[in-house]
Amino acid sequence: GIEVLVSLAAEREADLAVLATAGLRHLTLDPDLKRPVVEKGALFPVIRNVMREGPTEDMQCQAAGMIANLSENLENQISLVEASTIPALVKLARVENDEVEQDCARALANVASNEENHTTVYRQGGLHTLVELTNSSEDVCQRYASMGLRFLAANPEVRVYIVKENLVAPFLALAQSPLTDYRRTAATALASFTLSEDIKGPLVRQGGLRQILASCMDEDLQVKRDCTFALANLADSLDLHGDMIREDSITTLAKVGAHSDARIQRDAARAYASLSSSEHVKGALVSTEQSLPTLFKLVRSLDLTTQRYASLTLANISSSPYKVQIVEGGAVKPLMFLARFPDLDVRKYAALALGGLALGNHGENKVRIVEEGSLRPLLDMIRVPEVEMQRSACLAVNSIALGPQDMTKFGVMHEGGLLPLLALVDGTDSESSCMAIYALGTLTEHKDVKSKIVEIGAIASVVERGDGGDIEA
């Protein structure tokens, strides 16, 4: 029977062709018949009738319904594209008929769900058509259209075309919809756009950053996750840091980073870490309301990756001129927590942060760092047999001890720091040894500490290191 209907659909008599197409449409409602209808050659006459001049509205309705039904079969999705069905759907979608528009949106969404079709669908006008269908008055049609857009935007090649051809606006409109499904579609697409480095700038110029920031504050968890991910991706680009400051991204980041969701925290911490690599951003990271409290919360996250990004951020901003504000903002206790953490990277970043905050005579930083108990975990780190950690901790101890404050030098001795430093002097790593000698030299500025250094035999070790030909020592 299928062959007969296919033959009749090819008839030039319009009414007969419409009836045959209607019959094929009803047959394609059966999942078992969707593939056989294609294999029997039904697509060619139906598409030809659609592409002719002046097809009747009934023919358009039956053809769109048949194609949409066929598109629900995975194998057919490839066949439909190979049979040049996309141009026919593009033409049908312009018909002012709600049923035809809905079937076109359904067909395009199904075909676009197959990754092999993405580029062809885009090049044959499918994306522009889906954009137009999002303006349909019918909710179901809009849902199918937004679904198709989400599929196409996920393709690395297609998403570049979308941004470069200034087609971001429809996605921004979806992001502002009262319907959650549309906002989710937009958020997924915006996140996809930020995965391609060469279109991040154009995306920002088309309003993408502003909408991403707004969507980060969406009540829906999926939207919030995707847009925080997108924000972190944009922050990876140094060239965009100026744009992010102008759009007050830090305020949004401080708010979204306080969320309890692990994925959101991780991406917020990643954004913090990337932004903290720019000198002109560090001030905003420190001064923006709630930014430091959010960062201190992130360093205590249960997610290790989040902790690493957050502790790296603290290490970066601690080398800035805003050391006093950071300490007064409550940084020392979170850093002490990190300095005792099992992860080596986290502990190293904590040591670098404490060293950065102590370096130079900034306010009462050195005194506060000592009084709040930071020396003990730093000295414990020097005892850990890992070179990078030993260097970081030794650098921090020396930064704390440098300067006119006697209590910092006495504090190192009081906490039992002389023997670990002496062990570094005698160790095999020459750089660590030189750093330890420098620290011991700083500590000798305190009379009592100097006597203790002599008492433990440090002079002989230092001389021996110098006799070994190490010029720096």
Side-chain angles (χ1 to χ4, degrees), residues 418-445:
L418 300 183
L419 289 177
L421 288 171
L422 180 57
L424 279 190
V425 173
D426 294 331
T428 57
D429 180 64
S430 60
E431 185 173 342
S432 298
S433 178
C434 289
M435 293 172 72
I437 291 172
Y438 188 14
L440 288 170
T442 301
L443 294 171
T444 59
E445 294 174 6

mmCIF file of all heavy atoms in Angstrom, residues 418-445:
data_model
loop_
_atom_site.group_PDB
_atom_site.id
_atom_site.type_symbol
_atom_site.label_atom_id
_atom_site.label_comp_id
_atom_site.label_asym_id
_atom_site.label_seq_id
_atom_site.Cartn_x
_atom_site.Cartn_y
_atom_site.Cartn_z
ATOM 1 N N LEU A 418 63.322 27.292 64.370
ATOM 2 C CA LEU A 418 64.746 27.344 64.025
ATOM 3 C C LEU A 418 65.267 26.008 63.500
ATOM 4 O O LEU A 418 66.029 25.962 62.522
ATOM 5 C CB LEU A 418 65.559 27.794 65.234
ATOM 6 C CG LEU A 418 65.219 29.189 65.790
ATOM 7 C CD1 LEU A 418 66.156 29.552 66.937
ATOM 8 C CD2 LEU A 418 65.281 30.244 64.689
ATOM 9 N N LEU A 419 64.880 24.927 64.131
ATOM 10 C CA LEU A 419 65.378 23.610 63.692
ATOM 11 C C LEU A 419 64.871 23.225 62.301
ATOM 12 O O LEU A 419 65.655 22.693 61.491
ATOM 13 C CB LEU A 419 64.999 22.546 64.726
ATOM 14 C CG LEU A 419 65.765 22.627 66.057
ATOM 15 C CD1 LEU A 419 65.252 21.577 67.034
ATOM 16 C CD2 LEU A 419 67.270 22.453 65.815
ATOM 17 N N PRO A 420 63.589 23.445 61.968
ATOM 18 C CA PRO A 420 63.155 23.155 60.592
ATOM 19 C C PRO A 420 63.917 23.993 59.553
ATOM 20 O O PRO A 420 64.261 23.477 58.485
ATOM 21 C CB PRO A 420 61.668 23.519 60.608
ATOM 22 C CG PRO A 420 61.253 23.393 62.028
ATOM 23 C CD PRO A 420 62.444 23.803 62.828
ATOM 24 N N LEU A 421 64.218 25.252 59.888
ATOM 25 C CA LEU A 421 64.992 26.083 58.964
ATOM 26 C C LEU A 421 66.413 25.553 58.823
ATOM 27 O O LEU A 421 66.981 25.510 57.718
ATOM 28 C CB LEU A 421 65.012 27.535 59.446
ATOM 29 C CG LEU A 421 63.692 28.312 59.313
ATOM 30 C CD1 LEU A 421 63.781 29.652 60.023
ATOM 31 C CD2 LEU A 421 63.329 28.513 57.841
ATOM 32 N N LEU A 422 66.982 25.118 59.935
ATOM 33 C CA LEU A 422 68.336 24.551 59.894
ATOM 34 C C LEU A 422 68.365 23.275 59.060
ATOM 35 O O LEU A 422 69.322 23.020 58.316
ATOM 36 C CB LEU A 422 68.823 24.276 61.312
ATOM 37 C CG LEU A 422 70.236 23.684 61.443
ATOM 38 C CD1 LEU A 422 71.271 24.584 60.763
ATOM 39 C CD2 LEU A 422 70.588 23.459 62.907
ATOM 40 N N ALA A 423 67.287 22.481 59.164
ATOM 41 C CA ALA A 423 67.204 21.253 58.368
ATOM 42 C C ALA A 423 67.181 21.572 56.865
ATOM 43 O O ALA A 423 67.768 20.833 56.058
ATOM 44 C CB ALA A 423 65.961 20.457 58.756
ATOM 45 N N LEU A 424 66.552 22.674 56.508
ATOM 46 C CA LEU A 424 66.550 23.086 55.101
ATOM 47 C C LEU A 424 67.947 23.510 54.660
ATOM 48 O O LEU A 424 68.363 23.232 53.532
ATOM 49 C CB LEU A 424 65.570 24.250 54.882
ATOM 50 C CG LEU A 424 64.083 23.933 54.731
ATOM 51 C CD1 LEU A 424 63.327 25.185 54.291
ATOM 52 C CD2 LEU A 424 63.837 22.814 53.738
ATOM 53 N N VAL A 425 68.666 24.192 55.542
ATOM 54 C CA VAL A 425 70.032 24.600 55.210
ATOM 55 C C VAL A 425 70.881 23.372 54.890
ATOM 56 O O VAL A 425 71.678 23.368 53.942
ATOM 57 C CB VAL A 425 70.670 25.394 56.383
ATOM 58 C CG1 VAL A 425 72.155 25.674 56.094
ATOM 59 C CG2 VAL A 425 69.920 26.695 56.614
ATOM 60 N N ASP A 426 70.669 22.313 55.643
ATOM 61 C CA ASP A 426 71.458 21.084 55.458
ATOM 62 C C ASP A 426 70.887 20.168 54.379
ATOM 63 O O ASP A 426 71.460 19.113 54.085
ATOM 64 C CB ASP A 426 71.515 20.305 56.782
ATOM 65 C CG ASP A 426 72.291 21.053 57.861
ATOM 66 O OD1 ASP A 426 73.207 21.826 57.496
ATOM 67 O OD2 ASP A 426 71.975 20.876 59.049
ATOM 68 N N GLY A 427 69.775 20.559 53.798
ATOM 69 C CA GLY A 427 69.107 19.698 52.820
ATOM 70 C C GLY A 427 69.788 19.685 51.465
ATOM 71 O O GLY A 427 70.797 20.354 51.226
ATOM 72 N N THR A 428 69.209 18.903 50.545
ATOM 73 C CA THR A 428 69.824 18.715 49.223
ATOM 74 C C THR A 428 69.390 19.753 48.195
ATOM 75 O O THR A 428 70.042 19.912 47.167
ATOM 76 C CB THR A 428 69.466 17.317 48.678
ATOM 77 O OG1 THR A 428 68.034 17.179 48.630
ATOM 78 C CG2 THR A 428 70.039 16.230 49.570
ATOM 79 N N ASP A 429 68.302 20.452 48.454
ATOM 80 C CA ASP A 429 67.824 21.440 47.497
ATOM 81 C C ASP A 429 68.504 22.780 47.768
ATOM 82 O O ASP A 429 68.303 23.397 48.822
ATOM 83 C CB ASP A 429 66.299 21.598 47.594
ATOM 84 C CG ASP A 429 65.762 22.617 46.610
ATOM 85 O OD1 ASP A 429 65.893 22.379 45.383
ATOM 86 O OD2 ASP A 429 65.219 23.651 47.053
ATOM 87 N N SER A 430 69.308 23.236 46.830
ATOM 88 C CA SER A 430 70.121 24.446 47.054
ATOM 89 C C SER A 430 69.256 25.690 47.193
ATOM 90 O O SER A 430 69.573 26.578 48.003
ATOM 91 C CB SER A 430 71.120 24.629 45.908
ATOM 92 O OG SER A 430 70.439 24.760 44.669
ATOM 93 N N GLU A 431 68.172 25.788 46.433
ATOM 94 C CA GLU A 431 67.320 26.979 46.518
ATOM 95 C C GLU A 431 66.651 27.064 47.885
ATOM 96 O O GLU A 431 66.601 28.139 48.499
ATOM 97 C CB GLU A 431 66.264 26.966 45.408
ATOM 98 C CG GLU A 431 65.433 28.245 45.369
ATOM 99 C CD GLU A 431 64.509 28.307 44.164
ATOM 100 O OE1 GLU A 431 64.734 27.551 43.192
ATOM 101 O OE2 GLU A 431 63.554 29.111 44.207
ATOM 102 N N SER A 432 66.142 25.930 48.362
ATOM 103 C CA SER A 432 65.529 25.914 49.699
ATOM 104 C C SER A 432 66.560 26.258 50.765
ATOM 105 O O SER A 432 66.269 26.973 51.731
ATOM 106 C CB SER A 432 64.933 24.534 49.997
ATOM 107 O OG SER A 432 63.904 24.223 49.087
ATOM 108 N N SER A 433 67.775 25.751 50.587
ATOM 109 C CA SER A 433 68.848 26.017 51.543
ATOM 110 C C SER A 433 69.164 27.513 51.606
ATOM 111 O O SER A 433 69.299 28.096 52.687
ATOM 112 C CB SER A 433 70.101 25.235 51.148
ATOM 113 O OG SER A 433 71.161 25.511 52.036
ATOM 114 N N CYS A 434 69.252 28.150 50.441
ATOM 115 C CA CYS A 434 69.547 29.581 50.397
ATOM 116 C C CYS A 434 68.415 30.392 51.040
ATOM 117 O O CYS A 434 68.666 31.377 51.748
ATOM 118 C CB CYS A 434 69.753 30.032 48.959
ATOM 119 S SG CYS A 434 71.277 29.434 48.206
ATOM 120 N N MET A 435 67.171 29.976 50.802
ATOM 121 C CA MET A 435 66.029 30.679 51.393
ATOM 122 C C MET A 435 66.055 30.549 52.916
ATOM 123 O O MET A 435 65.753 31.507 53.637
ATOM 124 C CB MET A 435 64.718 30.118 50.828
ATOM 125 C CG MET A 435 64.524 30.402 49.338
ATOM 126 S SD MET A 435 63.083 29.551 48.635
ATOM 127 C CE MET A 435 61.764 30.502 49.364
ATOM 128 N N ALA A 436 66.415 29.362 53.395
ATOM 129 C CA ALA A 436 66.489 29.145 54.848
ATOM 130 C C ALA A 436 67.609 29.977 55.461
ATOM 131 O O ALA A 436 67.456 30.544 56.552
ATOM 132 C CB ALA A 436 66.696 27.666 55.139
ATOM 133 N N ILE A 437 68.750 30.074 54.769
ATOM 134 C CA ILE A 437 69.861 30.897 55.270
ATOM 135 C C ILE A 437 69.433 32.366 55.347
ATOM 136 O O ILE A 437 69.743 33.074 56.321
ATOM 137 C CB ILE A 437 71.095 30.734 54.353
ATOM 138 C CG1 ILE A 437 71.667 29.323 54.499
ATOM 139 C CG2 ILE A 437 72.161 31.779 54.672
ATOM 140 C CD1 ILE A 437 72.763 28.991 53.490
ATOM 141 N N TYR A 438 68.717 32.797 54.325
ATOM 142 C CA TYR A 438 68.222 34.181 54.312
ATOM 143 C C TYR A 438 67.291 34.417 55.507
ATOM 144 O O TYR A 438 67.388 35.438 56.210
ATOM 145 C CB TYR A 438 67.496 34.440 52.993
ATOM 146 C CG TYR A 438 67.089 35.880 52.753
ATOM 147 C CD1 TYR A 438 67.597 36.926 53.520
ATOM 148 C CD2 TYR A 438 66.200 36.191 51.729
ATOM 149 C CE1 TYR A 438 67.222 38.240 53.286
ATOM 150 C CE2 TYR A 438 65.810 37.503 51.494
ATOM 151 C CZ TYR A 438 66.325 38.527 52.276
ATOM 152 O OH TYR A 438 65.953 39.831 52.043
ATOM 153 N N ALA A 439 66.394 33.457 55.754
ATOM 154 C CA ALA A 439 65.466 33.590 56.877
ATOM 155 C C ALA A 439 66.206 33.619 58.207
ATOM 156 O O ALA A 439 65.906 34.446 59.091
ATOM 157 C CB ALA A 439 64.459 32.437 56.860
ATOM 158 N N LEU A 440 67.209 32.747 58.366
ATOM 159 C CA LEU A 440 67.988 32.737 59.611
ATOM 160 C C LEU A 440 68.741 34.053 59.797
ATOM 161 O O LEU A 440 68.855 34.576 60.913
ATOM 162 C CB LEU A 440 68.966 31.563 59.601
ATOM 163 C CG LEU A 440 68.345 30.173 59.776
ATOM 164 C CD1 LEU A 440 69.383 29.089 59.510
ATOM 165 C CD2 LEU A 440 67.755 30.016 61.183
ATOM 166 N N GLY A 441 69.220 34.590 58.664
ATOM 167 C CA GLY A 441 69.906 35.876 58.742
ATOM 168 C C GLY A 441 68.966 36.977 59.205
ATOM 169 O O GLY A 441 69.352 37.844 60.003
ATOM 170 N N THR A 442 67.741 36.955 58.732
ATOM 171 C CA THR A 442 66.748 37.934 59.175
ATOM 172 C C THR A 442 66.467 37.785 60.668
ATOM 173 O O THR A 442 66.366 38.772 61.416
ATOM 174 C CB THR A 442 65.432 37.755 58.383
ATOM 175 O OG1 THR A 442 65.692 37.931 56.984
ATOM 176 C CG2 THR A 442 64.375 38.750 58.830
ATOM 177 N N LEU A 443 66.377 36.544 61.116
ATOM 178 C CA LEU A 443 66.053 36.281 62.522
ATOM 179 C C LEU A 443 67.168 36.715 63.475
ATOM 180 O O LEU A 443 66.910 37.020 64.652
ATOM 181 C CB LEU A 443 65.760 34.783 62.713
ATOM 182 C CG LEU A 443 64.493 34.260 62.005
ATOM 183 C CD1 LEU A 443 64.437 32.738 62.085
ATOM 184 C CD2 LEU A 443 63.240 34.884 62.611
ATOM 185 N N THR A 444 68.404 36.767 62.975
ATOM 186 C CA THR A 444 69.523 37.157 63.859
ATOM 187 C C THR A 444 69.461 38.622 64.255
ATOM 188 O O THR A 444 70.256 39.075 65.104
ATOM 189 C CB THR A 444 70.879 36.879 63.177
ATOM 190 O OG1 THR A 444 70.947 37.620 61.939
ATOM 191 C CG2 THR A 444 71.073 35.404 62.905
ATOM 192 N N GLU A 445 68.535 39.374 63.675
ATOM 193 C CA GLU A 445 68.374 40.777 64.057
ATOM 194 C C GLU A 445 67.796 40.911 65.467
ATOM 195 O O GLU A 445 67.811 41.993 66.057
ATOM 196 C CB GLU A 445 67.491 41.501 63.045
ATOM 197 C CG GLU A 445 68.124 41.603 61.660
ATOM 198 C CD GLU A 445 67.177 42.185 60.631
ATOM 199 O OE1 GLU A 445 66.061 42.609 61.028
ATOM 200 O OE2 GLU A 445 67.540 42.220 59.451
#
